[in-house]
Structure formats: C-alpha cells, structure tokens
Amino acid sequence: AQTVTQSQPEMSVQEAETVTLSCTYDTSESNYYLFWYKQPPSRQMILVIRQEAYKQQNATENRFSVNFQKAAKSFSLKISDSQLGDTAMYFCAFMKSGSARQLTFGSGTQLTVLP
Amino acid sequence: SAVISQKPSRDICQRGTSLTIQCQVDSQVTMMFWYRQQPGQSLTLIATANQGSEATYESGFVIDKFPISRPNLTFSTLTVSNLSPEDSSIYLCSVVALLLNTEAFFGQGTRLTVV
C-alpha cells in the first residue's frame, strides 16, 4: 500500500513571494504518477501539476514547479509569485500505473496568501 | 478534459434516511471512483465503480452502507444508506480517462449534512 505524507498542515506567504509545500511518499512501485491538487473553498479539486516517475526532469506549469527526488521519495511544490487566488488547500497525491488508477492523498496543506 | 456533473451539490438529511448522489460525465471514461472527505480532512477512496458489475470497495466501506451503480461508461450513483451524523461529509466523484494523460477529474462534490 502507498502512503503520502504532508507535514505542513498550514502555511502562509506574502503576495508575490515564493513558497514551497512538502510531500513525501512511500511505495514499492517503480512506475507511478504524482500530483498536486488544489481545493479552494468552492470544493472543486483542480489539478495543479503532474509528474511521471520515469521522467527525471521536474515538471513545470507556469508559476508552479516541483522538486521530484525519486530516491528520497520526495515531491515538493514550489509556487512562485504567489497570488491571492492561490489561497486553497493543497493535496499531494499518488497514483499507480497499470490498471488501478485510484489516488492516494496526503492530509493536505492549507496555504494562505497574504496581501 | 472530462466535465463532470455531480448532483446534488448539497443536502440536509434526517438520520435513518438515504441519499443518492449522481455523477454524469460528458465523455466515456475508463474508471470512476467515489471519495469521501470528512470535515477538515483529506480524501479517502470509498470504492471503484465498475461498469455492469459490483463496485470494488476499500477497507472500511461496505456495499450495504454505500451501494454503487454504474450502468454505463458515463454515469454512476452512490447511495449513502441509513444515515447517521457521522456520515456528514463531502462526497466526490472522480474519473480517469486513460487517453487523457492519466489525469483524474473531479465533480464539484456533494456536501451532506445529517441531522
């Protein structure tokens, strides 16, 4: 079974600054996918960024980037130039490759961007 | 991307009754899942909805309490039966379309309050 750990229940950052959210995971799988999802107060789960484990290059999506350390089983999210709209709960999630595609979520990090 | 319509968005139910949640996707998808998000917590997988056969339940979830149907590739229902206040949660439908880069899409969730 997989586990995903987010050790930061809450974080805050000043608008326009950079913040990093931490995530570690445990698995015996060699092929898998990692995700960061954002959940604002509207409850809608929004995909922020995705990383395939077989890719060494870290994924980047505009202001969002990850630091994927496969050997250390670490998958942190960096948000640059933070905006007020980034305020949300952020979940790190793991998905096995193959036929079983359910997600295992971390406990979440509530990020607040301060004006 | 896949667009998911989940209904109802919220409901208040009396204990002992049941609530059925519907999930409609705008395209044929390979996998459909139901998650529960208890207040202030992360998402936990209830079950995988299998087309034309019984759902696959995760540990701690049983068919008598959470019956699930999936008559075709675009529609599923989750019923939460014999409601108690402990069932007060957000319930989310999720789909994975393997042809769409492995991304998981989510409905907007159903906020259930049991009184």
Side-chain angles (χ1 to χ4, degrees), chain A residues 32-80:
Chain A
Y32 50 88
Y33 305 89
L34 295 165
F35 305 85
W36 280 97
Y37 279 89
K38 165 185 175 180
Q39 187 180 43
S42 67
R43 302 197 307 264
Q44 182 68 55
M45 293 288 285
I46 301 166
L47 177 66
V48 175
I49 199 164
R50 171 181 54 236
Q51 175 80 43
E52 291 88 346
Y54 64 85
K55 290 186 177 179
Q56 293 186 346
Q57 186 174 6
N58 289 326
T60 299
E61 196 72 41
N62 300 317
R63 298 183 294 109
F64 300 88
S65 61
V66 298
N67 183 3
F68 173 48
Q69 302 290 330
K70 190 172 184 179
K73 296 181 181 175
S74 171
F75 183 61
S76 61
L77 174 69
K78 185 172 80 171
I79 306 174
S80 303

mmCIF file of all heavy atoms in Angstrom, chain A residues 32-80:
data_model
loop_
_atom_site.group_PDB
_atom_site.id
_atom_site.type_symbol
_atom_site.label_atom_id
_atom_site.label_comp_id
_atom_site.label_asym_id
_atom_site.label_seq_id
_atom_site.Cartn_x
_atom_site.Cartn_y
_atom_site.Cartn_z
ATOM 1 N N TYR A 32 4.869 5.099 -11.451
ATOM 2 C CA TYR A 32 3.732 5.739 -10.811
ATOM 3 C C TYR A 32 3.686 7.203 -11.230
ATOM 4 O O TYR A 32 4.557 7.682 -11.968
ATOM 5 C CB TYR A 32 3.812 5.621 -9.279
ATOM 6 C CG TYR A 32 5.145 6.030 -8.684
ATOM 7 C CD1 TYR A 32 5.398 7.358 -8.341
ATOM 8 C CD2 TYR A 32 6.142 5.083 -8.469
ATOM 9 C CE1 TYR A 32 6.613 7.727 -7.798
ATOM 10 C CE2 TYR A 32 7.362 5.449 -7.923
ATOM 11 C CZ TYR A 32 7.598 6.767 -7.590
ATOM 12 O OH TYR A 32 8.800 7.136 -7.056
ATOM 13 N N TYR A 33 2.650 7.884 -10.767
ATOM 14 C CA TYR A 33 2.457 9.294 -11.063
ATOM 15 C C TYR A 33 2.224 10.033 -9.754
ATOM 16 O O TYR A 33 1.620 9.495 -8.818
ATOM 17 C CB TYR A 33 1.243 9.497 -11.978
ATOM 18 C CG TYR A 33 1.304 8.683 -13.256
ATOM 19 C CD1 TYR A 33 0.795 7.387 -13.300
ATOM 20 C CD2 TYR A 33 1.859 9.212 -14.408
ATOM 21 C CE1 TYR A 33 0.851 6.636 -14.457
ATOM 22 C CE2 TYR A 33 1.924 8.465 -15.573
ATOM 23 C CZ TYR A 33 1.418 7.176 -15.582
ATOM 24 O OH TYR A 33 1.479 6.442 -16.736
ATOM 25 N N LEU A 34 2.678 11.255 -9.730
ATOM 26 C CA LEU A 34 2.466 12.114 -8.564
ATOM 27 C C LEU A 34 1.777 13.386 -9.013
ATOM 28 O O LEU A 34 2.031 13.892 -10.114
ATOM 29 C CB LEU A 34 3.808 12.443 -7.905
ATOM 30 C CG LEU A 34 4.548 11.249 -7.293
ATOM 31 C CD1 LEU A 34 5.994 11.605 -7.007
ATOM 32 C CD2 LEU A 34 3.860 10.784 -6.020
ATOM 33 N N PHE A 35 0.914 13.886 -8.144
ATOM 34 C CA PHE A 35 0.109 15.053 -8.471
ATOM 35 C C PHE A 35 0.066 16.021 -7.300
ATOM 36 O O PHE A 35 0.183 15.628 -6.141
ATOM 37 C CB PHE A 35 -1.350 14.645 -8.776
ATOM 38 C CG PHE A 35 -1.502 13.610 -9.855
ATOM 39 C CD1 PHE A 35 -1.394 12.264 -9.557
ATOM 40 C CD2 PHE A 35 -1.781 13.981 -11.157
ATOM 41 C CE1 PHE A 35 -1.549 11.298 -10.537
ATOM 42 C CE2 PHE A 35 -1.940 13.026 -12.146
ATOM 43 C CZ PHE A 35 -1.822 11.685 -11.836
ATOM 44 N N TRP A 36 -0.138 17.264 -7.630
ATOM 45 C CA TRP A 36 -0.580 18.261 -6.667
ATOM 46 C C TRP A 36 -1.943 18.762 -7.135
ATOM 47 O O TRP A 36 -2.094 19.193 -8.281
ATOM 48 C CB TRP A 36 0.391 19.434 -6.571
ATOM 49 C CG TRP A 36 1.580 19.143 -5.721
ATOM 50 C CD1 TRP A 36 2.816 18.740 -6.123
ATOM 51 C CD2 TRP A 36 1.644 19.240 -4.288
ATOM 52 N NE1 TRP A 36 3.644 18.572 -5.044
ATOM 53 C CE2 TRP A 36 2.954 18.884 -3.900
ATOM 54 C CE3 TRP A 36 0.729 19.617 -3.300
ATOM 55 C CZ2 TRP A 36 3.375 18.886 -2.566
ATOM 56 C CZ3 TRP A 36 1.137 19.616 -1.985
ATOM 57 C CH2 TRP A 36 2.451 19.251 -1.629
ATOM 58 N N TYR A 37 -2.910 18.668 -6.218
ATOM 59 C CA TYR A 37 -4.246 19.190 -6.460
ATOM 60 C C TYR A 37 -4.492 20.356 -5.522
ATOM 61 O O TYR A 37 -4.018 20.387 -4.389
ATOM 62 C CB TYR A 37 -5.321 18.128 -6.217
ATOM 63 C CG TYR A 37 -5.513 17.164 -7.364
ATOM 64 C CD1 TYR A 37 -4.771 15.999 -7.444
ATOM 65 C CD2 TYR A 37 -6.437 17.429 -8.372
ATOM 66 C CE1 TYR A 37 -4.942 15.114 -8.498
ATOM 67 C CE2 TYR A 37 -6.621 16.541 -9.420
ATOM 68 C CZ TYR A 37 -5.863 15.391 -9.482
ATOM 69 O OH TYR A 37 -6.032 14.519 -10.525
ATOM 70 N N LYS A 38 -5.281 21.289 -5.999
ATOM 71 C CA LYS A 38 -5.678 22.458 -5.234
ATOM 72 C C LYS A 38 -7.180 22.381 -4.993
ATOM 73 O O LYS A 38 -7.945 22.050 -5.916
ATOM 74 C CB LYS A 38 -5.324 23.702 -6.051
ATOM 75 C CG LYS A 38 -5.935 25.003 -5.629
ATOM 76 C CD LYS A 38 -5.550 26.096 -6.640
ATOM 77 C CE LYS A 38 -6.230 27.399 -6.334
ATOM 78 N NZ LYS A 38 -5.854 28.449 -7.329
ATOM 79 N N GLN A 39 -7.601 22.667 -3.753
ATOM 80 C CA GLN A 39 -9.024 22.684 -3.441
ATOM 81 C C GLN A 39 -9.374 24.003 -2.775
ATOM 82 O O GLN A 39 -9.160 24.193 -1.583
ATOM 83 C CB GLN A 39 -9.418 21.512 -2.540
ATOM 84 C CG GLN A 39 -10.923 21.404 -2.321
ATOM 85 C CD GLN A 39 -11.302 20.245 -1.417
ATOM 86 O OE1 GLN A 39 -10.669 20.000 -0.398
ATOM 87 N NE2 GLN A 39 -12.358 19.517 -1.789
ATOM 88 N N PRO A 40 -9.907 24.951 -3.523
ATOM 89 C CA PRO A 40 -10.346 26.216 -2.919
ATOM 90 C C PRO A 40 -11.638 26.000 -2.139
ATOM 91 O O PRO A 40 -12.180 24.892 -2.135
ATOM 92 C CB PRO A 40 -10.562 27.110 -4.150
ATOM 93 C CG PRO A 40 -10.831 26.165 -5.277
ATOM 94 C CD PRO A 40 -10.093 24.896 -4.965
ATOM 95 N N PRO A 41 -12.144 27.035 -1.494
ATOM 96 C CA PRO A 41 -13.391 26.887 -0.715
ATOM 97 C C PRO A 41 -14.576 26.380 -1.535
ATOM 98 O O PRO A 41 -15.518 25.837 -0.983
ATOM 99 C CB PRO A 41 -13.634 28.302 -0.190
ATOM 100 C CG PRO A 41 -12.268 28.891 -0.098
ATOM 101 C CD PRO A 41 -11.510 28.328 -1.268
ATOM 102 N N SER A 42 -14.534 26.517 -2.840
ATOM 103 C CA SER A 42 -15.617 26.008 -3.693
ATOM 104 C C SER A 42 -15.691 24.484 -3.696
ATOM 105 O O SER A 42 -16.665 23.905 -4.197
ATOM 106 C CB SER A 42 -15.410 26.499 -5.133
ATOM 107 O OG SER A 42 -14.249 25.901 -5.700
ATOM 108 N N ARG A 43 -14.711 23.810 -3.147
ATOM 109 C CA ARG A 43 -14.598 22.346 -3.056
ATOM 110 C C ARG A 43 -14.107 21.684 -4.335
ATOM 111 O O ARG A 43 -13.802 20.496 -4.332
ATOM 112 C CB ARG A 43 -15.939 21.680 -2.691
ATOM 113 C CG ARG A 43 -16.581 22.087 -1.427
ATOM 114 C CD ARG A 43 -17.638 21.057 -1.018
ATOM 115 N NE ARG A 43 -18.603 20.793 -2.068
ATOM 116 C CZ ARG A 43 -19.769 21.390 -2.142
ATOM 117 N NH1 ARG A 43 -20.081 22.332 -1.275
ATOM 118 N NH2 ARG A 43 -20.614 21.096 -3.116
ATOM 119 N N GLN A 44 -14.066 22.423 -5.427
ATOM 120 C CA GLN A 44 -13.641 21.810 -6.689
ATOM 121 C C GLN A 44 -12.165 21.431 -6.628
ATOM 122 O O GLN A 44 -11.324 22.261 -6.319
ATOM 123 C CB GLN A 44 -13.876 22.794 -7.844
ATOM 124 C CG GLN A 44 -13.500 22.231 -9.191
ATOM 125 C CD GLN A 44 -14.421 21.096 -9.621
ATOM 126 O OE1 GLN A 44 -15.625 21.255 -9.662
ATOM 127 N NE2 GLN A 44 -13.832 19.952 -9.940
ATOM 128 N N MET A 45 -11.856 20.194 -6.934
ATOM 129 C CA MET A 45 -10.471 19.734 -6.984
ATOM 130 C C MET A 45 -9.886 20.115 -8.334
ATOM 131 O O MET A 45 -10.414 19.721 -9.381
ATOM 132 C CB MET A 45 -10.409 18.220 -6.779
ATOM 133 C CG MET A 45 -10.821 17.756 -5.402
ATOM 134 S SD MET A 45 -9.613 18.160 -4.142
ATOM 135 C CE MET A 45 -8.350 16.953 -4.499
ATOM 136 N N ILE A 46 -8.781 20.839 -8.301
ATOM 137 C CA ILE A 46 -8.162 21.348 -9.516
ATOM 138 C C ILE A 46 -6.741 20.818 -9.603
ATOM 139 O O ILE A 46 -5.960 20.980 -8.653
ATOM 140 C CB ILE A 46 -8.135 22.888 -9.508
ATOM 141 C CG1 ILE A 46 -9.555 23.443 -9.392
ATOM 142 C CG2 ILE A 46 -7.445 23.431 -10.757
ATOM 143 C CD1 ILE A 46 -9.609 24.907 -9.038
ATOM 144 N N LEU A 47 -6.409 20.187 -10.723
ATOM 145 C CA LEU A 47 -5.051 19.691 -10.907
ATOM 146 C C LEU A 47 -4.100 20.868 -11.091
ATOM 147 O O LEU A 47 -4.318 21.732 -11.944
ATOM 148 C CB LEU A 47 -4.977 18.772 -12.120
ATOM 149 C CG LEU A 47 -3.581 18.240 -12.443
ATOM 150 C CD1 LEU A 47 -3.087 17.317 -11.335
ATOM 151 C CD2 LEU A 47 -3.579 17.512 -13.783
ATOM 152 N N VAL A 48 -3.046 20.885 -10.295
ATOM 153 C CA VAL A 48 -2.038 21.938 -10.391
ATOM 154 C C VAL A 48 -0.890 21.482 -11.277
ATOM 155 O O VAL A 48 -0.459 22.190 -12.195
ATOM 156 C CB VAL A 48 -1.503 22.310 -8.993
ATOM 157 C CG1 VAL A 48 -0.355 23.316 -9.106
ATOM 158 C CG2 VAL A 48 -2.623 22.866 -8.122
ATOM 159 N N ILE A 49 -0.384 20.270 -11.006
ATOM 160 C CA ILE A 49 0.784 19.796 -11.736
ATOM 161 C C ILE A 49 0.896 18.293 -11.583
ATOM 162 O O ILE A 49 0.423 17.728 -10.593
ATOM 163 C CB ILE A 49 2.059 20.517 -11.220
ATOM 164 C CG1 ILE A 49 3.205 20.434 -12.225
ATOM 165 C CG2 ILE A 49 2.449 20.021 -9.848
ATOM 166 C CD1 ILE A 49 4.321 21.428 -11.941
ATOM 167 N N ARG A 50 1.501 17.656 -12.564
ATOM 168 C CA ARG A 50 1.638 16.199 -12.590
ATOM 169 C C ARG A 50 3.093 15.836 -12.914
ATOM 170 O O ARG A 50 3.735 16.519 -13.711
ATOM 171 C CB ARG A 50 0.714 15.609 -13.659
ATOM 172 C CG ARG A 50 0.931 14.133 -13.919
ATOM 173 C CD ARG A 50 -0.008 13.621 -15.002
ATOM 174 N NE ARG A 50 0.110 14.423 -16.197
ATOM 175 C CZ ARG A 50 -0.939 15.027 -16.766
ATOM 176 N NH1 ARG A 50 -2.139 14.901 -16.267
ATOM 177 N NH2 ARG A 50 -0.759 15.745 -17.861
ATOM 178 N N GLN A 51 3.555 14.736 -12.308
ATOM 179 C CA GLN A 51 4.915 14.255 -12.558
ATOM 180 C C GLN A 51 4.878 12.758 -12.798
ATOM 181 O O GLN A 51 4.310 12.019 -11.989
ATOM 182 C CB GLN A 51 5.819 14.553 -11.351
ATOM 183 C CG GLN A 51 7.226 13.992 -11.447
ATOM 184 C CD GLN A 51 8.140 14.831 -12.312
ATOM 185 O OE1 GLN A 51 8.153 16.058 -12.248
ATOM 186 N NE2 GLN A 51 8.940 14.177 -13.135
ATOM 187 N N GLU A 52 5.449 12.322 -13.895
ATOM 188 C CA GLU A 52 5.602 10.891 -14.138
ATOM 189 C C GLU A 52 6.905 10.430 -13.500
ATOM 190 O O GLU A 52 7.938 11.070 -13.687
ATOM 191 C CB GLU A 52 5.643 10.592 -15.638
ATOM 192 C CG GLU A 52 4.335 10.827 -16.350
ATOM 193 C CD GLU A 52 4.157 12.250 -16.853
ATOM 194 O OE1 GLU A 52 4.931 13.136 -16.426
ATOM 195 O OE2 GLU A 52 3.237 12.496 -17.642
ATOM 196 N N ALA A 53 6.872 9.336 -12.769
ATOM 197 C CA ALA A 53 8.043 8.899 -12.013
ATOM 198 C C ALA A 53 9.216 8.531 -12.914
ATOM 199 O O ALA A 53 10.376 8.623 -12.500
ATOM 200 C CB ALA A 53 7.685 7.717 -11.117
ATOM 201 N N TYR A 54 8.917 8.109 -14.147
ATOM 202 C CA TYR A 54 10.010 7.690 -15.034
ATOM 203 C C TYR A 54 10.746 8.884 -15.655
ATOM 204 O O TYR A 54 11.794 8.721 -16.259
ATOM 205 C CB TYR A 54 9.486 6.773 -16.138
ATOM 206 C CG TYR A 54 8.512 7.410 -17.100
ATOM 207 C CD1 TYR A 54 8.963 8.133 -18.200
ATOM 208 C CD2 TYR A 54 7.146 7.304 -16.899
ATOM 209 C CE1 TYR A 54 8.063 8.722 -19.078
ATOM 210 C CE2 TYR A 54 6.237 7.885 -17.772
ATOM 211 C CZ TYR A 54 6.710 8.600 -18.865
ATOM 212 O OH TYR A 54 5.823 9.168 -19.734
ATOM 213 N N LYS A 55 10.189 10.075 -15.478
ATOM 214 C CA LYS A 55 10.829 11.270 -16.030
ATOM 215 C C LYS A 55 11.737 11.901 -14.978
ATOM 216 O O LYS A 55 11.305 12.193 -13.864
ATOM 217 C CB LYS A 55 9.777 12.279 -16.478
ATOM 218 C CG LYS A 55 8.995 11.849 -17.708
ATOM 219 C CD LYS A 55 8.086 12.964 -18.170
ATOM 220 C CE LYS A 55 7.357 12.566 -19.450
ATOM 221 N NZ LYS A 55 6.434 13.628 -19.919
ATOM 222 N N GLN A 56 12.974 12.115 -15.328
ATOM 223 C CA GLN A 56 13.902 12.746 -14.395
ATOM 224 C C GLN A 56 13.689 14.255 -14.307
ATOM 225 O O GLN A 56 13.962 14.875 -13.279
ATOM 226 C CB GLN A 56 15.338 12.436 -14.802
ATOM 227 C CG GLN A 56 15.709 10.972 -14.658
ATOM 228 C CD GLN A 56 17.169 10.708 -14.918
ATOM 229 O OE1 GLN A 56 17.875 11.563 -15.463
ATOM 230 N NE2 GLN A 56 17.645 9.534 -14.553
ATOM 231 N N GLN A 57 13.218 14.833 -15.397
ATOM 232 C CA GLN A 57 13.027 16.278 -15.421
ATOM 233 C C GLN A 57 11.836 16.670 -14.568
ATOM 234 O O GLN A 57 10.758 16.067 -14.651
ATOM 235 C CB GLN A 57 12.816 16.757 -16.851
ATOM 236 C CG GLN A 57 12.753 18.258 -17.002
ATOM 237 C CD GLN A 57 12.697 18.693 -18.461
ATOM 238 O OE1 GLN A 57 12.590 17.858 -19.354
ATOM 239 N NE2 GLN A 57 12.783 19.985 -18.689
ATOM 240 N N ASN A 58 12.029 17.683 -13.756
ATOM 241 C CA ASN A 58 10.955 18.175 -12.907
ATOM 242 C C ASN A 58 9.893 18.888 -13.733
ATOM 243 O O ASN A 58 10.209 19.687 -14.625
ATOM 244 C CB ASN A 58 11.516 19.134 -11.853
ATOM 245 C CG ASN A 58 12.334 18.434 -10.804
ATOM 246 O OD1 ASN A 58 12.038 17.296 -10.430
ATOM 247 N ND2 ASN A 58 13.366 19.072 -10.334
ATOM 248 N N ALA A 59 8.628 18.618 -13.415
ATOM 249 C CA ALA A 59 7.525 19.256 -14.127
ATOM 250 C C ALA A 59 7.407 20.733 -13.745
ATOM 251 O O ALA A 59 7.681 21.118 -12.604
ATOM 252 C CB ALA A 59 6.225 18.521 -13.815
ATOM 253 N N THR A 60 6.999 21.513 -14.718
ATOM 254 C CA THR A 60 6.780 22.945 -14.523
ATOM 255 C C THR A 60 5.502 23.339 -15.235
ATOM 256 O O THR A 60 5.226 22.880 -16.339
ATOM 257 C CB THR A 60 7.949 23.765 -15.096
ATOM 258 O OG1 THR A 60 9.148 23.406 -14.423
ATOM 259 C CG2 THR A 60 7.703 25.246 -14.904
ATOM 260 N N GLU A 61 4.731 24.165 -14.555
ATOM 261 C CA GLU A 61 3.473 24.665 -15.126
ATOM 262 C C GLU A 61 3.312 26.117 -14.705
ATOM 263 O O GLU A 61 2.800 26.420 -13.637
ATOM 264 C CB GLU A 61 2.306 23.818 -14.612
ATOM 265 C CG GLU A 61 1.012 23.964 -15.397
ATOM 266 C CD GLU A 61 1.073 23.309 -16.760
ATOM 267 O OE1 GLU A 61 1.636 22.197 -16.864
ATOM 268 O OE2 GLU A 61 0.569 23.918 -17.718
ATOM 269 N N ASN A 62 3.795 27.006 -15.561
ATOM 270 C CA ASN A 62 3.728 28.446 -15.286
ATOM 271 C C ASN A 62 4.419 28.762 -13.961
ATOM 272 O O ASN A 62 5.617 28.554 -13.830
ATOM 273 C CB ASN A 62 2.281 28.924 -15.314
ATOM 274 C CG ASN A 62 1.627 28.688 -16.664
ATOM 275 O OD1 ASN A 62 2.233 28.939 -17.702
ATOM 276 N ND2 ASN A 62 0.409 28.172 -16.664
ATOM 277 N N ARG A 63 3.704 29.250 -12.962
ATOM 278 C CA ARG A 63 4.318 29.639 -11.687
ATOM 279 C C ARG A 63 4.550 28.453 -10.757
ATOM 280 O O ARG A 63 5.110 28.634 -9.661
ATOM 281 C CB ARG A 63 3.416 30.654 -10.978
ATOM 282 C CG ARG A 63 3.215 31.961 -11.736
ATOM 283 C CD ARG A 63 2.370 32.938 -10.924
ATOM 284 N NE ARG A 63 0.999 32.475 -10.742
ATOM 285 C CZ ARG A 63 0.516 32.048 -9.581
ATOM 286 N NH1 ARG A 63 1.275 32.020 -8.506
ATOM 287 N NH2 ARG A 63 -0.751 31.655 -9.501
ATOM 288 N N PHE A 64 4.123 27.297 -11.169
ATOM 289 C CA PHE A 64 4.207 26.112 -10.323
ATOM 290 C C PHE A 64 5.287 25.159 -10.841
ATOM 291 O O PHE A 64 5.334 24.882 -12.043
ATOM 292 C CB PHE A 64 2.858 25.382 -10.294
ATOM 293 C CG PHE A 64 1.722 26.220 -9.772
ATOM 294 C CD1 PHE A 64 0.988 27.024 -10.630
ATOM 295 C CD2 PHE A 64 1.410 26.217 -8.428
ATOM 296 C CE1 PHE A 64 -0.063 27.800 -10.154
ATOM 297 C CE2 PHE A 64 0.367 26.985 -7.942
ATOM 298 C CZ PHE A 64 -0.371 27.783 -8.800
ATOM 299 N N SER A 65 6.096 24.674 -9.947
ATOM 300 C CA SER A 65 7.111 23.701 -10.326
ATOM 301 C C SER A 65 7.288 22.713 -9.178
ATOM 302 O O SER A 65 6.907 22.995 -8.040
ATOM 303 C CB SER A 65 8.436 24.387 -10.649
ATOM 304 O OG SER A 65 8.921 25.080 -9.520
ATOM 305 N N VAL A 66 7.844 21.567 -9.513
ATOM 306 C CA VAL A 66 8.062 20.556 -8.482
ATOM 307 C C VAL A 66 9.536 20.238 -8.393
ATOM 308 O O VAL A 66 10.309 20.443 -9.331
ATOM 309 C CB VAL A 66 7.261 19.264 -8.761
ATOM 310 C CG1 VAL A 66 5.761 19.550 -8.760
ATOM 311 C CG2 VAL A 66 7.704 18.599 -10.048
ATOM 312 N N ASN A 67 9.906 19.737 -7.216
ATOM 313 C CA ASN A 67 11.228 19.165 -6.997
ATOM 314 C C ASN A 67 10.998 17.691 -6.677
ATOM 315 O O ASN A 67 10.594 17.350 -5.564
ATOM 316 C CB ASN A 67 11.960 19.872 -5.863
ATOM 317 C CG ASN A 67 13.376 19.343 -5.668
ATOM 318 O OD1 ASN A 67 13.843 18.480 -6.425
ATOM 319 N ND2 ASN A 67 14.062 19.841 -4.667
ATOM 320 N N PHE A 68 11.202 16.852 -7.675
ATOM 321 C CA PHE A 68 10.933 15.432 -7.559
ATOM 322 C C PHE A 68 12.248 14.712 -7.300
ATOM 323 O O PHE A 68 13.160 14.726 -8.138
ATOM 324 C CB PHE A 68 10.289 14.915 -8.841
ATOM 325 C CG PHE A 68 10.113 13.427 -8.899
ATOM 326 C CD1 PHE A 68 9.558 12.735 -7.833
ATOM 327 C CD2 PHE A 68 10.489 12.711 -10.025
ATOM 328 C CE1 PHE A 68 9.380 11.362 -7.891
ATOM 329 C CE2 PHE A 68 10.319 11.334 -10.105
ATOM 330 C CZ PHE A 68 9.764 10.663 -9.031
ATOM 331 N N GLN A 69 12.347 14.091 -6.141
ATOM 332 C CA GLN A 69 13.525 13.327 -5.749
ATOM 333 C C GLN A 69 13.082 11.878 -5.561
ATOM 334 O O GLN A 69 12.603 11.505 -4.485
ATOM 335 C CB GLN A 69 14.125 13.883 -4.462
ATOM 336 C CG GLN A 69 14.534 15.337 -4.537
ATOM 337 C CD GLN A 69 15.756 15.551 -5.425
ATOM 338 O OE1 GLN A 69 16.599 14.666 -5.539
ATOM 339 N NE2 GLN A 69 15.818 16.711 -6.065
ATOM 340 N N LYS A 70 13.244 11.075 -6.616
ATOM 341 C CA LYS A 70 12.685 9.721 -6.580
ATOM 342 C C LYS A 70 13.337 8.854 -5.523
ATOM 343 O O LYS A 70 12.665 8.101 -4.814
ATOM 344 C CB LYS A 70 12.831 9.045 -7.955
ATOM 345 C CG LYS A 70 12.070 7.738 -8.069
ATOM 346 C CD LYS A 70 12.091 7.204 -9.486
ATOM 347 C CE LYS A 70 11.244 5.942 -9.600
ATOM 348 N NZ LYS A 70 11.227 5.411 -10.990
ATOM 349 N N ALA A 71 14.641 8.924 -5.386
ATOM 350 C CA ALA A 71 15.327 8.088 -4.403
ATOM 351 C C ALA A 71 14.906 8.446 -2.981
ATOM 352 O O ALA A 71 14.747 7.568 -2.131
ATOM 353 C CB ALA A 71 16.840 8.226 -4.553
ATOM 354 N N ALA A 72 14.694 9.699 -2.754
ATOM 355 C CA ALA A 72 14.277 10.167 -1.430
ATOM 356 C C ALA A 72 12.770 10.092 -1.252
ATOM 357 O O ALA A 72 12.269 10.344 -0.156
ATOM 358 C CB ALA A 72 14.751 11.591 -1.201
ATOM 359 N N LYS A 73 12.039 9.765 -2.317
ATOM 360 C CA LYS A 73 10.570 9.719 -2.307
ATOM 361 C C LYS A 73 10.004 11.037 -1.794
ATOM 362 O O LYS A 73 9.183 11.076 -0.853
ATOM 363 C CB LYS A 73 10.083 8.518 -1.504
ATOM 364 C CG LYS A 73 10.506 7.202 -2.135
ATOM 365 C CD LYS A 73 10.020 5.985 -1.371
ATOM 366 C CE LYS A 73 10.513 4.721 -2.070
ATOM 367 N NZ LYS A 73 10.172 3.495 -1.321
ATOM 368 N N SER A 74 10.465 12.082 -2.436
ATOM 369 C CA SER A 74 10.054 13.428 -2.065
ATOM 370 C C SER A 74 9.504 14.146 -3.291
ATOM 371 O O SER A 74 10.024 13.996 -4.402
ATOM 372 C CB SER A 74 11.251 14.184 -1.492
ATOM 373 O OG SER A 74 10.956 15.546 -1.313
ATOM 374 N N PHE A 75 8.471 14.950 -3.076
ATOM 375 C CA PHE A 75 7.782 15.608 -4.201
ATOM 376 C C PHE A 75 7.239 16.944 -3.712
ATOM 377 O O PHE A 75 6.073 17.052 -3.336
ATOM 378 C CB PHE A 75 6.653 14.690 -4.687
ATOM 379 C CG PHE A 75 5.892 15.197 -5.887
ATOM 380 C CD1 PHE A 75 6.523 15.412 -7.098
ATOM 381 C CD2 PHE A 75 4.522 15.420 -5.813
ATOM 382 C CE1 PHE A 75 5.822 15.861 -8.202
ATOM 383 C CE2 PHE A 75 3.807 15.867 -6.913
ATOM 384 C CZ PHE A 75 4.455 16.094 -8.104
ATOM 385 N N SER A 76 8.055 17.962 -3.712
ATOM 386 C CA SER A 76 7.637 19.261 -3.189
ATOM 387 C C SER A 76 7.128 20.163 -4.310
ATOM 388 O O SER A 76 7.536 20.041 -5.460
ATOM 389 C CB SER A 76 8.781 19.929 -2.429
ATOM 390 O OG SER A 76 9.873 20.150 -3.300
ATOM 391 N N LEU A 77 6.257 21.068 -3.935
ATOM 392 C CA LEU A 77 5.649 22.023 -4.878
ATOM 393 C C LEU A 77 6.138 23.421 -4.547
ATOM 394 O O LEU A 77 6.013 23.865 -3.405
ATOM 395 C CB LEU A 77 4.126 21.982 -4.765
ATOM 396 C CG LEU A 77 3.360 23.035 -5.580
ATOM 397 C CD1 LEU A 77 3.476 22.752 -7.073
ATOM 398 C CD2 LEU A 77 1.894 23.073 -5.152
ATOM 399 N N LYS A 78 6.665 24.110 -5.548
ATOM 400 C CA LYS A 78 7.070 25.490 -5.388
ATOM 401 C C LYS A 78 6.117 26.393 -6.159
ATOM 402 O O LYS A 78 5.859 26.167 -7.353
ATOM 403 C CB LYS A 78 8.510 25.711 -5.879
ATOM 404 C CG LYS A 78 9.014 27.126 -5.603
ATOM 405 C CD LYS A 78 10.500 27.280 -5.904
ATOM 406 C CE LYS A 78 10.781 27.462 -7.359
ATOM 407 N NZ LYS A 78 12.202 27.825 -7.632
ATOM 408 N N ILE A 79 5.610 27.380 -5.442
ATOM 409 C CA ILE A 79 4.739 28.365 -6.069
ATOM 410 C C ILE A 79 5.492 29.689 -6.077
ATOM 411 O O ILE A 79 5.846 30.216 -5.009
ATOM 412 C CB ILE A 79 3.407 28.517 -5.315
ATOM 413 C CG1 ILE A 79 2.725 27.154 -5.164
ATOM 414 C CG2 ILE A 79 2.491 29.503 -6.030
ATOM 415 C CD1 ILE A 79 1.472 27.177 -4.301
ATOM 416 N N SER A 80 5.738 30.199 -7.255
ATOM 417 C CA SER A 80 6.445 31.473 -7.400
ATOM 418 C C SER A 80 5.442 32.599 -7.611
ATOM 419 O O SER A 80 4.329 32.373 -8.100
ATOM 420 C CB SER A 80 7.405 31.404 -8.585
ATOM 421 O OG SER A 80 8.313 30.345 -8.448
#
